Amino acid sequence: MTTASILTDFWGKLEKHDEQGLFLVLVGFIGSFAFIRMSTRLQRSSRVSWWPGSIVSDSGVHLHHLVFGIVTMMVAGAAGFLAFGRTPWTEICALLFGVGAGLTIDEFALWVYLDDVYWAKEGRSSIDATVIAAAGMMLILLGFTPLTIEDGSAQALLGSVLSALIVFALVAICFLKGRVMHGSVGFFVFPVALYGACRLGKPNSAWARRRYGERRPKKHDRSVARFPPDRRTERRTNAFRDIIGGKPSEGLAAAREEAFAATREASEEVRQRAERVTHLGEDGRD
């Protein structure tokens, strides 16, 4: 009875603030992401040979679960507009939309690199994107609002617009400095964005490439010293990524480098042959 009462009170608070839909999106999002990560890790394990593998057509086309996620979001979104707030159909659509979003963002790295880097080091960006998206929804449910527009008077509206512009500017600076988590959380909690924007940029960030380096060598040296590849924070972050998403495959990265090397060698060979043909043609004319 106590558990049922707690759940009823919790759901009542969500309905009071019209946040039950977002909560169900978050539940579907986390649930589908957790399931698909568990599924892909079981596929990868040689000890669970009975677990079904990837979907591959007879022609060899690999159907990523990203496809199922996109289709689910499209159907759930359209059906949600059709339901137009009617219970329980709107709630069901919200849950399904979250399921589709979880399947889709699990292959976020595929959006960025346009390559199957799921088990490569680059694939860790999918974990980062999932954490950021889930954290944003949780912050909204906890009462943090990214923007508040006051339209009671012209002065209030102007102040709201200026405040929003300042927040967007600080968040953009955080992202340019490579401080993605500060920018993501700072969009909802202003002091975090201000802190991240005032701190030193990471050496491989767009901010550092543009404003450090030869223009400000001392800052570049400070950035390199502040963010070494083996620093404790990075090791802990990578350990967290490995726990959630599994360790990257070194073999996959090596195979990609080998393929690139073979491509470069083939290109160089074609270039040399073309030069020889050109020289022979010139000699024949002479």
Side-chain angles (χ1 to χ4, degrees):
M1 293 295 292
T2 304
T3 304
S5 177
I6 293 174
L7 293 175
T8 301
D9 293 341
F10 175 72
W11 188 258
K13 291 180 180 179
L14 292 175
E15 289 183 328
K16 181 180 179 181
H17 297 92
D18 295 323
E19 293 177 341
Q20 66 273 24
L22 179 62
F23 174 74
L24 290 172
V25 170
L26 178 61
V27 170
F29 179 84
I30 295 177
S32 64
F33 174 80
F35 171 79
I36 200 62
R37 272 287 160 174
M38 178 197 71
S39 178
T40 53
R41 293 184 69 173
L42 288 177
Q43 292 174 25
R44 195 186 189 194
S45 175
S46 58
R47 292 178 294 181
V48 194
S49 57
W50 51 268
W51 192 262
S54 303
I55 299 177
V56 182
S57 68
D58 295 335
S59 60
V61 177
H62 178 199
L63 195 61
H64 293 263
H65 50 266
L66 165 75
V67 177
F68 297 99
I70 294 174
V71 172
T72 303
M73 285 195 296
M74 291 172 62
V75 173
F81 284 113
L82 184 63
F84 201 67
R86 290 192 295 271
T87 301
W89 305 112
T90 301
E91 286 79 3
I92 293 174
C93 291
L95 182 64
L96 290 176
F97 188 90
V99 170
L103 294 175
T104 303
I105 204 168
D106 183 53
E107 294 196 303
F108 173 80
L110 181 61
W111 313 358
V112 178
Y113 295 99
L114 296 179
D115 192 10
D116 192 359
V117 293
Y118 195 84
W119 292 119
K121 184 178 180 181
E122 296 86 349
R124 284 175 164 173
S125 59
S126 298
I127 307 296
D128 299 339
T130 302
V131 171
I132 290 171
M137 286 186 276
M138 288 180 182
L139 287 171
I140 293 176
L141 290 172
L142 291 174
F144 294 93
T145 55
L147 297 174
T148 302
I149 303 298
E150 301 288 344
D151 56 356
S153 63
Q155 292 83 356
L157 179 61
L158 180 61
S160 298
V161 172
L162 291 176
S163 299
L165 291 175
I166 292 173
V167 171
F168 279 121
L170 292 177
V171 169
I173 292 174
C174 288
F175 278 102
L176 289 173
K177 288 188 172 184
R179 294 179 172 271
V180 179
M181 188 57 69
H182 288 95
S184 302
V185 178
F187 186 66
F188 300 91
V189 186
F190 174 78
V192 177
L194 180 61
Y195 171 81
C198 294
R199 298 292 291 172
L200 192 67
K202 295 184 178 180
N204 58 345
S205 65
W207 185 276
R209 291 194 299 269
R210 181 71 176 176
R211 301 181 64 87
Y212 299 166
E214 295 180 356
R215 296 180 61 182
R216 298 180 180 178
K218 290 184 178 180
K219 271 203 168 184
H220 175 75
D221 294 341
R222 283 176 52 203
S223 178
V224 172
R226 173 67 179 81
F227 298 101
D230 59 341
R231 64 194 180 100
R232 184 183 303 174
T233 304
E234 191 66 23
R235 292 199 303 269
R236 290 177 177 175
T237 303
N238 287 333
F240 172 77
R241 291 166 175 161
D242 292 344
I243 291 172
I244 300 297
K247 292 184 177 181
S249 297
E250 295 180 359
L252 183 61
R256 183 178 295 106
E257 289 298 327
E258 184 177 351
F260 287 156
T263 302
R264 287 193 295 267
E265 290 178 2
S267 300
E268 181 64 21
E269 183 178 354
V270 170
R271 186 184 66 80
Q272 291 176 358
R273 288 182 179 180
E275 289 179 353
R276 286 198 295 268
V277 171
T278 302
H279 291 324
L280 287 174
E282 292 176 352
D283 293 341
R285 286 195 298 271
D286 293 341

